[in-house]
Amino acid sequence: MPKILSVTPPASCTLCPRRCRADRAAGQVGFCGAGRTLKAARAALHFWEEPCISGTRGSGTVFFSGCTLKCCFCQNYPISAEGLGREITPEHLAEIFLDLQRQGAHNINLVTPGQWRPWIIAALDLARAGGLHLPIVCNTGGYETVESVEAWRGSIDIWLADLKYVSSSLSAELSAAPDYFAQAKPAIEAMMAQAGRPVFDGEGILQKGVILRHLALPGHIDDSFAVLDQMAAWNQADPGCFIPSVMSQYTPFYKAADHGIGRRITTYEYRRVVNRAMDLGLTDGYMQQKSSAREEYTPSFDLTGI
């Protein structure tokens, strides 16, 4: 595989909506926890995404260290908030992508990649030169800028994005991001414009498009209704422009109990959310069973495959 020049870290980082302007080139760590050297925590076939992503052979998933959100309930908190991971080069990341392809992955699934975008794009370019041909999934919490979505153009085929909140007070409390919806709404619209309508292969595996996820939270069903209203507005304006995925798998990890959500969602709460989605016509997508809220569905971040 050919070598690439080293990626120059930003000297005033604006890769995410926080625009914290950390001098990562000088070794300063940004709000997200990312510094000058690419870090990842796990690379393996993953079978717990939506069926059109995981399929029968699994999604070739790479979990990156750090996160631009600070969700108090994050199930991946060892890597998103506590910095777990191993420093790697873009060349090594390209080899990881190609190895996942050799293992039979349906796609390459980049989990929380935004803070490492220049490094990852370099690795993708290198891997494609080495024979990578799988669809590339950007698995994001939705807290992006329109500029960041545009910067991924030509590198991302599928956006697997959250729409977590509408309420600014709730997003401030739970994710330290009062501007979450103000940033996520135009960013998601840019994702849909970029990826286009969903396209599937003969096995029913998504090749391009947007899956829009919402995780229902205990005690905050009214905000879930507001999220679904926004999703329905997009769907009404352009039917089928994304695939909805309404999730019940919330489990009170990390600091959830400190913020009033130290329990799982009840069957009654989730049924109300599902009924609202159906009433709004969000039926051509995914709903979860309540049994999905199980800790064993969270991968072990033991640096597998890195």
Side-chain angles (χ1 to χ4, degrees):
M1 180 178 293
K3 296 292 183 181
I4 61 173
L5 296 176
S6 60
V7 175
T8 301
S12 179
C13 192
T14 58
L15 290 177
C16 86
R18 297 190 189 275
R19 303 183 187 276
C20 71
R21 300 194 177 277
D23 187 353
R24 294 172 60 182
Q28 186 177 0
V29 173
F31 179 93
C32 62
R36 63 183 302 161
T37 306
L38 177 64
K39 286 179 70 176
R42 180 179 172 86
L45 297 177
H46 189 54
F47 294 89
W48 304 113
E49 307 288 27
E50 284 76 2
C52 67
I53 298 293
S54 291
T56 58
R57 301 193 303 273
S59 177
T61 305
V62 182
F63 291 85
F64 293 95
S65 301
C67 185
T68 61
L69 288 170
K70 295 298 179 187
C71 299
C72 66
F73 53 90
C74 182
Q75 67 179 16
N76 298 343
Y77 69 89
I79 63 170
S80 66
E82 296 180 348
L84 179 66
R86 179 173 291 160
E87 293 185 351
I88 60 173
T89 64
E91 288 92 344
H92 181 45
L93 181 58
E95 290 286 1
I96 288 171
F97 293 155
L98 290 168
D99 183 57
L100 289 167
Q101 179 171 271
R102 286 190 289 269
Q103 291 180 49
H106 290 290
N107 45 60
I108 299 297
N109 185 351
L110 311 171
V111 181
T112 59
Q115 63 274 15
W116 302 111
R117 186 180 71 231
W119 291 262
I120 296 170
I121 288 176
L124 286 170
D125 289 345
L126 193 58
R128 286 189 174 114
L132 181 69
H133 56 77
L134 298 177
I136 309 301
V137 181
C138 184
N139 193 329
T140 169
Y143 191 55
E144 306 279 354
T145 64
V146 171
E147 293 80 9
S148 72
V149 173
E150 183 58 32
W152 283 109
R153 183 180 291 275
S155 298
I156 299 299
D157 302 292
I158 298 164
W159 291 91
L160 182 54
D162 293 337
L163 184 56
K164 295 178 182 289
Y165 318 101
V166 168
S167 166
S168 60
S169 61
L170 187 60
S171 62
E173 169 72 18
L174 301 184
S175 296
D179 63 340
Y180 176 86
F181 183 70
Q183 298 287 348
K185 180 177 183 290
I188 289 168
E189 290 169 349
M191 294 172 198
M192 291 189 285
Q194 184 183 107
R197 299 171 70 83
V199 174
F200 300 86
D201 70 5
E203 298 180 74
I205 304 298
L206 191 64
Q207 301 297 294
K208 60 176 293 190
V210 176
I211 297 178
L212 195 51
R213 289 171 161 175
H214 175 66
L215 176 64
L217 298 175
H220 296 293
I221 302 308
D222 287 347
D223 197 61
S224 287
F225 288 174
V227 168
L228 293 173
D229 287 346
Q230 175 59 69
M231 291 170 67
W234 283 322
N235 189 55
Q236 289 163 8
D238 184 8
C241 60
F242 67 94
I243 301 168
S245 181
V246 181
M247 305 166 71
S248 66
Q249 71 184 50
Y250 173 79
T251 305
F253 282 103
Y254 196 35
K255 300 178 180 180
D258 297 338
H259 295 267
I261 51 173
R263 65 172 175 85
R264 292 177 175 171
I265 190 170
T266 66
T267 299
Y268 174 68
E269 286 174 316
Y270 185 60
R271 177 49 54 189
R272 289 183 63 201
V273 173
V274 168
N275 287 345
R276 179 65 166 250
M278 295 179 69
D279 289 345
L280 291 170
L282 298 170
T283 56
D284 191 11
Y286 300 101
M287 309 289 175
Q288 285 185 323
Q289 299 295 322
K290 275 287 277 94
S291 60
S292 296
R294 295 168 62 182
E295 293 187 15
E296 54 263 41
Y297 292 154
T298 302
S300 174
F301 298 114
D302 53 5
L303 306 183
T304 296
I306 298 298

